Amino acid sequence: QICLSLVKLLFYLAHSPLGSIALLDFQPRQFVMVDGNLKVTDMDDASTEELSCKEDNDCTLDFPTKSFPLKCSMVGKCEGINEKKNLFNAYRYFFTYLLPHSAPPALRPLLNDILNATGDLRYGINETLRAFEKVLHLYKSGLYLQKRPLLLKDYISLKGFRTVEGEGYKCWPSYSHLGCLLSIHSAEEAAAICNSQLQCQSFIVTQHRTWTGRPLASFQSSWTDLIPDTNAVVYIKRSASSGERL
């Protein structure tokens, strides 16, 4: 969410009515999330000026660890230098820390492609935004899910109930630091996640949703009593419920 919102912001800056705008003091502390969107808190160090040049050798974009040769345009300006400066700063301050860690395994190669392409400045902001929107579409639609055996049949579902939390366990990436709370596309995906975690014996799907509209599921290592909850469905492994009274 943070990276996509940042890319949308940089897309606007690259195509603003004032021309391409560079953020000269590009640091994470200069941004804040407001209603799920990333905002710039200080525009004092923004600039629409693009570096003047006489030849291509005048257009080197330098960073502490990398340098990029750019072209000198016919009007004597370094082509796209503001856009590329913003994009590489997004890569080194945001993408490298946030993109590789929390996506479903099937989407990680696409995010790695974005990471590598922006790190080498092979993508401009237009290509980067299209790549992010493709990943978002796959994520929201569930098209990233690979065909696999149906596992939900191995669970007993009880609508209008949830379990009293037993011995919880933690997982990554969890929306809660107290347990294993993950977003899912469907109960079938949740069953696959539960089967892949040795501790998991049950999971609860609630009506709480993430910014993409995906429901949240709480995965648990045990279950005891059932309590009414009209907004939840509990799924218990048949093997875990064997011999127990429901």
Side-chain angles (χ1 to χ4, degrees):
Q1 182 180 12
I2 293 171
C3 292
L4 175 62
S5 188
L6 176 59
V7 169
K8 289 180 177 179
L9 173 61
L10 297 187
F11 179 85
Y12 173 79
L13 294 178
H15 301 285
S16 84
L18 300 176
S20 183
I21 299 175
L23 300 177
L24 303 181
D25 186 18
F26 198 114
Q27 299 284 340
R29 64 173 179 267
Q30 299 284 21
F31 300 89
V32 64
M33 291 292 285
V34 179
D35 296 328
N37 295 305
L38 207 66
K39 306 283 187 180
V40 183
T41 60
D42 185 2
M43 292 293 289
D44 289 345
D45 294 312
S47 174
T48 58
E49 293 294 322
E50 292 196 307
L51 186 65
S52 298
C53 58
K54 293 183 178 179
E55 57 183 27
D56 290 350
N57 289 337
D58 298 328
C59 293
T60 301
L61 182 57
D62 289 315
F63 292 96
T65 58
K66 275 190 175 183
S67 296
F68 299 95
L70 304 181
K71 296 289 185 181
C72 182
S73 71
M74 297 295 291
V75 296
K77 297 290 183 179
C78 296
E79 288 185 358
I81 191 168
N82 286 351
E83 174 187 329
K84 294 180 185 297
K85 185 181 296 183
N86 287 342
L87 191 54
F88 189 78
N89 279 327
Y91 159 81
R92 66 178 181 143
Y93 287 119
F94 287 88
F95 297 172
T96 54
Y97 298 104
L98 300 177
L99 284 186
H101 305 298
S102 59
L107 292 177
R108 288 174 192 168
L110 297 178
L111 293 178
N112 286 334
D113 287 343
I114 294 175
L115 197 62
N116 294 331
T118 53
D120 295 334
L121 287 184
R122 287 185 284 109
Y123 280 2
I125 191 62
N126 295 356
E127 295 87 352
T128 303
L129 180 57
R130 283 197 296 269
F132 267 101
E133 288 178 337
K134 177 183 177 180
V135 174
L136 179 63
H137 172 67
L138 294 173
Y139 185 60
K140 291 175 68 173
S141 65
L143 292 173
Y144 69 91
L145 294 170
Q146 300 172 348
K147 290 185 178 180
R148 63 182 74 187
L150 298 179
L151 302 172
L152 202 57
K153 64 182 186 323
D154 297 328
Y155 289 77
I156 296 169
S157 66
L158 298 169
K159 295 181 180 180
F161 290 92
R162 63 180 173 85
T163 60
V164 174
E165 293 187 6
E167 296 179 3
Y169 67 94
K170 298 178 181 180
C171 65
W172 177 262
S174 175
Y175 282 83
S176 169
H177 67 281
L178 298 176
C180 186
L181 185 66
L182 303 174
S183 76
I184 58 169
H185 176 259
S186 63
E188 187 64 52
E189 183 183 15
I193 293 172
C194 190
N195 276 30
S196 70
Q197 299 175 345
L198 294 178
Q199 308 100 311
C200 186
Q201 296 297 316
S202 67
F203 61 89
I204 303 164
V205 179
T206 71
Q207 291 186 354
H208 296 293
R209 294 181 179 271
T210 69
W211 66 282
T212 60
R214 289 162 57 97
L216 290 172
S218 176
F219 297 84
Q220 299 179 5
S221 58
S222 64
W223 66 279
T224 52
D225 298 322
L226 299 176
I227 58 177
D229 186 338
T230 57
N231 296 319
V233 182
V234 60
Y235 295 84
I236 303 168
K237 279 185 178 178
R238 293 184 183 276
S239 57
S241 64
S242 178
E244 298 285 350
R245 182 179 179 183
L246 292 178

